[in-house]
Amino acid sequence: MRVYLDHAATSPLRPEVLNAYTEALQLVGNPSAIHSGGQSSRAILEGARERLAKVAHCDRNEVIFTSGGTESNNLAIKGLFAERAGNLIITTAAEHHAVLDAVEYLETQGAEVHWLKLNRDGQIEMDELSKVLEERSAETALIALMWVNNETGIVTPIHEVTALAAKYGVPVHSDAVAAFGHMPTNFAESGLATMALTGHKLGGPVGTGALIVSRATKVVPLLHGGGQERGFRAGTMDAAGALALAVAAETPQPDYTGLEALAVKLITPLGNLTRGASQGIPNILNFTFEGCPGDSLLFLLDQAEIEVSNGSACTAGVARASHVLLAMGFSEAEASSALRVSFGPQTTAEDVKALAEALPKVVATARKI
Ligand SMILES: Cc1ncc(COP(=O)(O)O)c(C=O)c1O
């Protein structure tokens, strides 16, 4: 049996989701159509919106269904930027590429970016944010900070950020893809303008997701067409996908703290945990293994039937150092030796033990490569 410890990359469909999804997929009718089939699809879609809103603690009208995290982040960042007068974007270099690349694209279109520094704990310094807002709030279009980092599991104190930003009237977008469903993400209390989430990290289908857009916020759409989703996201609405996303969001995740403690106990003698125990969500752990190329670790573990990842982008088969760890001040060598272990509802203590048993040999072999 292969051991799958890569749920932060994608997590298998949960049985509840599969049942609801396959049933809804058999419905015929565009949710915008007047006939009965269309109205049945509309009822499923709006029911899903209501259910997702309840989990996200937002108003149903604030839910904009999208194709996932990448689209939601792009819509928020490009859409807020186009809507606002300023041309400064405040963010960090540890964001997911769905944010980084959108921001870097906007740089080619005249945006200026203030990259907030991160400390070794992966946290921004509030003083730096405060200073840049004090000096440049009139020029600031938006702040984009992820709620949970998908490589390290580190949690950003979003409420502190939004409280500060509110003093200057600057909207805050958060990529909550790794947070939503895994920790409390109460949108109404968050002070956020927009929040991105996706289905497939929760046991929902790939290709489902949402951007929560507060009532007070407007974004210029990326897609123009039929005016669906408050005019923010044109395209025939995917009622079955919306339902599957809502069911995945409603299905609670298990408590992963026991697995986290076990993994920390068994793996830290072999590698270094890249965050403090209290700084992250329990389902994502990241270790560095001195002197081991990350891609060799992955390859050797895969041969031992264990599937993990290092979270770093792998372009055309060339493994690169983790941009997240580099942004936190880790050396190139450390950032190239990372391994991300992430849990899902199917993960057992045996899976964690299998990884810990395979690692000494894998690490020793990788060091020789
Ligand atoms: C933090 C984060 N943001 C955005 C995304 C992109 O989401 P999607 O795969 O749904 O486009 C991911 C997926 O890896 C992610 O981990």
Side-chain angles (χ1 to χ4, degrees):
M1 270 286 275
R2 294 189 71 83
V3 170
Y4 186 74
L5 292 167
D6 199 15
H7 289 263
T10 198
S11 197
L13 280 185
R14 301 189 73 175
E16 302 86 334
V17 175
L18 188 60
N19 288 339
Y21 192 36
T22 44
E23 201 175 309
L25 276 171
Q26 294 169 51
L27 274 172
V28 181
N30 187 319
S32 298
I34 303 292
H35 52 66
S36 306
Q39 292 312 300
S40 304
S41 293
R42 170 65 72 171
I44 292 203
L45 178 76
E46 294 311 324
R49 196 185 305 282
E50 190 98 43
R51 289 164 71 173
L52 184 64
K54 209 165 167 201
V55 181
H57 297 272
C58 65
D59 194 280
R60 54 187 298 284
N61 297 319
E62 295 177 321
V63 175
I64 307 300
F65 287 115
T66 67
S67 65
T70 301
E71 184 189 333
S72 295
N73 280 311
N74 271 265
L75 174 57
I77 289 163
K78 294 176 186 165
L80 280 169
F81 184 78
E83 182 67 32
R84 303 254 311 155
N87 82 327
L88 181 68
I89 301 174
I90 302 174
T91 187
T92 82
E95 293 288 315
H96 187 273
H97 275 284
V99 169
L100 284 183
D101 291 17
V103 167
E104 283 170 8
Y105 165 74
L106 290 175
E107 266 186 307
T108 69
Q109 307 297 303
E112 193 191 332
V113 184
H114 182 100
W115 300 100
L116 293 168
K117 283 186 276 306
L118 291 175
N119 60 27
R120 185 87 180 185
D121 291 330
Q123 298 294 352
I124 60 165
E125 303 289 352
M126 285 300 161
D127 287 351
E128 186 188 355
L129 179 59
S130 182
K131 189 162 177 283
V132 61
L133 285 173
E134 185 63 44
E135 289 168 5
R136 308 192 61 187
S137 60
E139 299 154 68
T140 307
L142 69 137
I143 299 170
L145 290 173
M146 67 204 311
W147 205 321
V148 167
N149 186 281
N150 57 299
E151 287 192 23
T152 59
I154 288 170
V155 181
T156 305
I158 283 296
H159 296 89
E160 280 181 50
V161 172
T162 54
L164 188 56
K167 287 192 202 157
Y168 299 92
V170 173
V172 183
H173 165 67
S174 189
D175 174 355
V177 161
F180 185 70
H182 294 284
M183 60 169 277
T185 51
N186 184 319
F187 184 76
E189 286 175 3
S190 71
L192 290 169
T194 50
M195 178 173 96
L197 55 97
T198 193
H200 73 108
K201 317 281 180 178
L202 302 170
V206 175
T208 63
L211 182 68
I212 313 299
V213 181
S214 87
R215 275 169 173 278
T217 302
K218 280 210 175 87
V219 289
V220 173
L222 298 176
L223 304 176
H224 297 89
Q228 293 92 341
E229 301 292 302
R230 259 170 79 191
F232 294 155
R233 204 274 184 175
T236 298
M237 294 158 296
D238 174 9
L243 175 66
L245 172 63
V247 174
E250 276 174 351
T251 310
Q253 292 285 326
D255 178 358
Y256 294 109
T257 49
L259 289 175
E260 178 194 30
L262 183 67
V264 169
K265 183 174 138 214
L266 298 180
I267 300 174
T268 44
L270 308 162
N272 299 310
L273 186 63
T274 52
R275 63 166 169 84
S278 59
Q279 289 172 333
I281 51 167
N283 54 311
I284 300 180
L285 294 166
N286 190 300
F287 300 91
T288 57
F289 295 87
E290 222 186 310
C292 299
D295 52 343
S296 305
L297 290 174
L298 299 190
F299 178 72
L300 292 163
L301 283 170
D302 189 50
Q303 282 190 328
E305 308 217 315
I306 299 173
E307 295 175 345
V308 288
S309 81
N310 50 19
S312 68
C314 184
T315 312
V318 183
R320 282 189 273 155
S322 156
H323 73 280
V324 173
L325 297 186
L326 289 176
M328 289 163 63
F330 283 68
S331 68
E332 187 84 25
E334 286 173 305
S336 304
S337 71
L339 198 72
R340 177 182 70 182
V341 180
S342 53
F343 309 134
Q346 302 82 359
T347 310
T348 62
E350 275 56 50
D351 294 337
V352 175
K353 285 181 198 155
L355 170 64
E357 273 159 29
L359 269 173
K361 192 166 155 215
V362 162
V363 167
T365 312
R367 279 205 179 112
K368 288 191 216 129
I369 291 173

